[in-house]
Amino acid sequence: MRGFKAFIIKEIKENTRNYRFFILGIVFAVVGLLSPLSARFLPELLSNMIDENITIILSDPTYIDSWMQFFSNMNQMALVAFVLVFSSILSKEYDKGTLVHMVTKGLPRLTIYYAKFTVMLVSWTFFFWMSFAITLGYTFYYFPEGTTDGLFLSVGSLYLFGILLIALLMSSAAFFSTVFAPLLTVGGFLAVLFILNLFPFIEEWSPLQLASRNTELLIRTNADTALNQSLFVSALLILFFLVIGSIKFRKKALN
Amino acid sequence: MAILEISNLSKAFGNQTVLKDVTFSVEEGSVFGFIGRNGAGKTTTMTIALGLLKADDGSIKINGKTVQYGDTETNNYVGYLPDVPEFYPFLTAREYMELSAEISGIEKKEAAEKITELLVMVGLEDNKKRIKNYSRGMKQRLGIAQALINDPLLLICDEPTSALDPIGRQQLLSILKKVKEKTTVIFSTHILSDVESVCDEVAILNDGRIVKQGTVKQLKAGLASEKWMVVCEEEEHGRLLLEAISTDDAFHDVTLNGPVVNGESTDGRDAMGKLLAHLNALSITPVRIERKEATMEEVFVEAIK
Amino acid sequence: MMQTISDYLPILIPLFILQLVLLVTAIIHLSKNDRLTQQNKIIWALVIVFINIIGPIIYLVFGRKED
């Protein structure tokens, strides 16, 4: 793995100096803060806005609401921001021809591919769990009665779903050369998952469960067959995406 | 020994043929000029030699080893400078060189010295700016430095001078001359004066074929005709000489310009003798009579006819 | 109402600090950026200041024009 470390350092410098890490740090921290805040704040805000003559029954928010907000913010803001920020992970290099120097100096293409994936994976891991830790801390503070039962399963599922999308992003960046193609691929993949969910048989195998059943898992606190199938399929897909991407990248024209 | 051997190389993009049966070799220790018009296939040949592009047919050997498409072992012997080199804009020159050194598998301690040495050679040693602020010429010089980091046996430069201003060009050519002491250099260009000033040997590529190859001297000597010039004292003398030689088929394309007679002959040596004989017979004493040395431009124009 | 606000302060303060850090980073970068025309700078400044969180991010991702 000659050059793996050097290339990783280059990636870290790049992402730091191009403000990518900075932006992701802020976005993920905001998601971590916003989730318990909006869980706590929204019902009160609603009851203040509504006419006093109308009585609606708003149950008091619980720690479940806080995590519900976390899952939805993580899906709709943080994960989207992450994919957007890293969508140019290879296209910029193709565009400028900067990889040519690396390859002609004997840096194996697989090293480039997996170094880039590693940087994304480690960033996702760091930012995701940082965001999680913030939400966890505040959820305890505001909803001391909450438990952590089922938390790992439901949050871990979402984390794995993120890895699946990152693997797909990396793979499609090997196949296509533009910035938009990887974004379209990830978007298209999600669209296909949603459509396939119309068929119950596919739904119980679909990786989409990892991002859609989180609140339910938090309450159930254990996995059922469908979730296990989903975890299995997701793991296979991650491997599949990575492998076909690396095969393609080994033979890609770089100039 | 030949450091680079290209045999029967062919490449087409779609139905457009770029290279047809290209064969040539580069001897160790020379500066090899690879000449051709824009779009003649120079860059294509070089990128195939680097394993960046797949050839349709034929093979390339560097230092006796065959070049593979994709990751190729032969890249360990090669340094490469593309025509418009782009480097990671967020790094400084030194950081970029450190990255290059580490990728090439050079020991950290050895690398630090080497990097300083190379940066001094290209005049970028004190530059703390990030590469995004570099000018074209600075990038080109950094390009040479990074290409030499692994002590390559062969340095491949793709039109290194064409994008530079005259001063940048001079700097770059003098760097190439220095490099020549340790490394075989092959560079493509269409600037023929650069070829004359640094190249030992050249190959001329036209329409995807090698049309001429040899040392600069050989190619010039091999020209189909040689130019000569006679300067007479008076216009009258010039006219007389023109008349006298117009029937002799050893001379062609003869023109008269005042007292100056210009012409071409297939055999320059023979033509000189005949010219002197004619002058003697006409009792004309010329001011000057000379055989003109061929330029690379003439060689090139004739080769791509 | 005062009671509620102080209740949220432990979360509002870090949120505010994050926004401020983001805003200041983007503004400092913008003021040093010599690749933009004066007019573009003013537009970016408005975007950064008035579009909460997203504005500075958009500038740092698309507006730097550095490479």
Side-chain angles (χ1 to χ4, degrees):
Chain A
M1 282 315 244
R2 183 177 95 187
F4 187 75
K5 194 179 133 217
F7 202 75
I8 293 241
I9 291 171
K10 170 251 153 189
E11 286 287 319
I12 291 172
K13 279 182 187 160
E14 174 169 17
N15 291 317
T16 310
R17 293 179 185 175
N18 284 345
Y19 294 89
R20 288 199 190 131
F21 284 157
F22 175 73
I23 290 168
L24 290 178
I26 300 257
V27 169
F28 278 73
V30 166
V31 164
L33 289 168
L34 219 51
S35 306
L37 180 72
S38 46
R40 188 68 203 252
F41 191 61
L42 270 181
E44 257 173 71
L45 193 73
L46 278 176
S47 59
N48 281 340
M49 286 190 325
I50 290 166
D51 199 307
E52 290 194 1
N53 297 328
I54 307 166
T55 41
I56 49 163
I57 301 150
L58 282 168
S59 56
D60 271 346
T62 67
Y63 76 103
I64 302 270
D65 294 276
S66 180
W67 289 113
M68 231 164 99
Q69 290 291 331
F70 176 78
F71 298 135
S72 110
N73 288 335
M74 190 49 87
N75 274 327
Q76 287 163 22
M77 285 169 58
L79 191 51
V80 171
F82 192 90
V83 170
L84 273 175
V85 160
F86 281 110
S87 60
S88 59
I89 187 147
L90 277 170
S91 64
K92 212 178 227 169
E93 303 246 20
Y94 299 143
D95 205 36
K96 299 216 149 195
T98 37
L99 284 181
V100 167
H101 301 289
M102 302 293 113
V103 171
T104 53
K105 288 202 165 51
L107 185 65
R109 288 166 181 238
L110 283 186
T111 306
I112 296 174
Y113 186 83
Y114 284 107
K116 281 189 179 272
F117 178 71
T118 304
V119 169
M120 278 205 282
L121 182 65
V122 171
S123 313
W124 169 246
T125 307
F126 175 80
F127 290 123
F128 182 89
W129 293 108
M130 174 193 83
S131 189
F132 166 80
I134 294 171
T135 300
L136 183 69
Y138 280 104
T139 304
F140 262 127
Y141 179 75
Y142 286 114
F143 311 100
E145 74 288 353
T147 73
T148 52
D149 294 340
L151 195 55
F152 181 75
L153 184 66
S154 64
V155 176
S157 300
L158 187 55
Y159 169 68
L160 189 71
F161 190 73
I163 297 179
L164 176 64
L165 294 193
I166 293 169
L168 178 62
L169 184 73
M170 193 65 215
S171 179
S172 68
F175 276 90
F176 309 107
S177 300
T178 63
V179 201
F180 298 108
L183 285 180
L184 288 177
T185 312
V186 173
F189 176 72
L190 289 175
V192 168
L193 286 185
F194 276 112
I195 292 167
L196 289 179
N197 255 14
L198 297 174
F199 309 100
F201 170 74
I202 296 175
E203 188 184 2
E204 60 182 53
W205 288 88
S206 170
L208 198 59
Q209 293 175 57
L210 301 185
S212 60
R213 293 182 57 198
N214 310 80
T215 313
E216 181 207 327
L217 291 173
L218 186 62
I219 299 163
R220 296 175 51 104
T221 71
N222 61 357
D224 56 7
T225 325
L227 187 82
N228 286 333
Q229 287 168 348
S230 172
L231 288 170
F232 176 70
V233 170
S234 302
L236 275 189
L237 279 178
I238 290 172
L239 280 181
F240 173 72
F241 289 150
L242 281 181
V243 169
I244 58 162
S246 59
I247 290 171
K248 170 68 191 171
F249 190 65
R250 280 189 74 181
K251 293 292 170 200
K252 187 163 177 95
L254 284 183
N255 58 311
Chain B
M1 197 190 107
I3 183 83
L4 173 71
E5 284 174 82
I6 297 186
S7 26
N8 311 101
L9 197 67
S10 297
K11 174 76 188 172
F13 293 112
N15 50 15
Q16 192 197 358
T17 310
V18 184
L19 298 175
K20 284 176 245 167
D21 207 17
V22 169
T23 302
F24 69 92
S25 61
V26 178
E27 289 302 309
E28 218 170 311
S30 59
V31 176
F32 190 92
F34 195 35
I35 320 172
R37 278 192 284 194
N38 291 328
K42 293 170 295 192
T43 303
T44 308
T45 310
M46 292 182 159
T47 41
I48 294 174
L50 291 159
L52 295 171
L53 201 64
K54 199 173 186 161
D56 295 339
D57 206 6
S59 72
I60 299 186
K61 277 185 183 175
I62 295 176
N63 199 28
K65 290 218 171 78
T66 307
V67 175
Q68 311 274 338
Y69 173 61
D71 287 329
T72 175
E73 207 191 318
T74 50
N75 278 344
N76 293 332
Y77 318 123
V78 178
Y80 174 52
L81 174 65
D83 49 352
V84 187
E86 282 293 346
F87 308 105
Y88 296 118
F90 46 86
L91 296 179
T92 65
R94 180 161 270 278
E95 283 173 332
Y96 191 84
M97 293 295 284
E98 281 163 359
L99 172 65
S100 304
E102 209 158 322
I103 284 169
S104 311
I106 300 167
E107 295 285 326
K108 263 234 160 74
K109 225 173 124 194
E110 194 194 329
E113 259 171 56
K114 189 108 212 252
I115 290 168
T116 311
E117 186 189 312
L118 285 169
L119 287 178
V120 167
M121 184 178 96
V122 299
L124 290 172
E125 70 276 23
D126 299 321
N127 215 307
K128 298 273 184 290
K129 279 198 281 188
R130 290 193 191 162
I131 296 169
K132 66 184 175 200
N133 299 316
Y134 275 25
S135 69
R136 202 96 181 248
M138 288 162 85
K139 278 188 196 167
Q140 209 78 286
R141 282 184 279 148
L142 175 59
I144 296 247
Q146 59 87 28
L148 292 173
I149 189 82
N150 56 341
D151 282 321
L153 298 172
L154 178 67
L155 176 66
I156 298 181
C157 308
D158 191 359
E159 309 229 354
T161 54
S162 53
L164 299 181
D165 60 31
I167 294 169
R169 252 181 65 203
Q170 278 315 316
Q171 287 173 333
L172 200 100
L173 288 177
S174 69
I175 292 172
L176 281 186
K177 276 182 199 160
K178 256 185 258 171
V179 168
K180 178 182 170 178
E181 291 157 19
K182 285 194 227 155
T183 305
T184 309
V185 182
I186 167 167
F187 82 96
S188 74
T189 187
H190 55 255
I191 301 174
L192 295 160
S193 59
D194 292 353
V195 174
E196 287 195 79
S197 63
V198 294
C199 289
D200 302 312
E201 206 174 319
V202 295
I204 299 174
L205 188 69
N206 191 44
D207 281 339
R209 288 176 199 280
I210 297 288
V211 287
K212 275 265 164 67
Q213 189 189 351
T215 63
V216 173
K217 222 175 173 181
Q218 279 170 349
L219 289 186
K220 284 182 177 174
L223 269 183
S225 61
E226 226 176 292
K227 285 188 178 163
W228 49 259
M229 177 175 81
V230 180
V231 182
C232 303
E233 285 173 315
E234 292 166 34
E235 275 184 47
E236 181 58 25
H237 292 168
R239 200 160 18 214
L240 282 172
L241 178 65
L242 180 72
E243 239 166 69
I245 64 173
S246 59
T247 49
D248 195 332
D249 56 9
F251 307 103
H252 56 92
D253 291 315
V254 184
T255 56
L256 180 68
N257 183 12
V260 185
V261 184
N262 283 298
E264 290 180 33
S265 302
T266 29
D267 186 343
R269 198 184 151 81
D270 173 60
M272 271 300 122
K274 283 190 175 152
L275 275 174
L276 287 171
H278 279 293
L279 288 167
N280 228 353
L282 294 163
S283 319
I284 296 171
T285 312
V287 177
R288 188 146 54 90
I289 173 164
E290 70 174 2
R291 280 159 79 179
K292 285 189 187 166
E293 211 198 319
T295 62
M296 272 315 287
E297 208 158 305
E298 284 159 7
V299 174
F300 182 65
V301 169
E302 190 185 276
I304 65 168
K305 244 185 238 167
Chain C
M1 200 60 195
M2 275 320 287
Q3 164 61 35
T4 16
I5 287 192
S6 67
D7 192 15
Y8 296 129
L9 274 186
I11 211 163
L12 286 176
I13 290 171
L15 205 54
F16 175 73
I17 292 173
L18 284 179
Q19 286 190 27
L20 198 67
V21 169
L22 190 60
L23 182 87
V24 170
T25 310
I27 286 291
I28 289 177
H29 189 284
L30 180 70
S31 67
K32 287 186 190 160
N33 194 338
D34 48 13
R35 283 159 209 252
L36 294 174
T37 62
Q38 199 60 35
Q39 200 186 352
N40 279 338
K41 276 194 174 190
I42 293 168
I43 295 170
W44 275 119
L46 294 175
V47 169
I48 291 168
V49 174
F50 289 107
I51 307 177
N52 213 351
I53 300 185
I54 313 282
I57 290 180
I58 292 178
Y59 169 73
L60 290 175
V61 175
F62 302 107
R64 287 184 296 123
K65 291 264 178 293
E66 279 181 346
D67 34 48

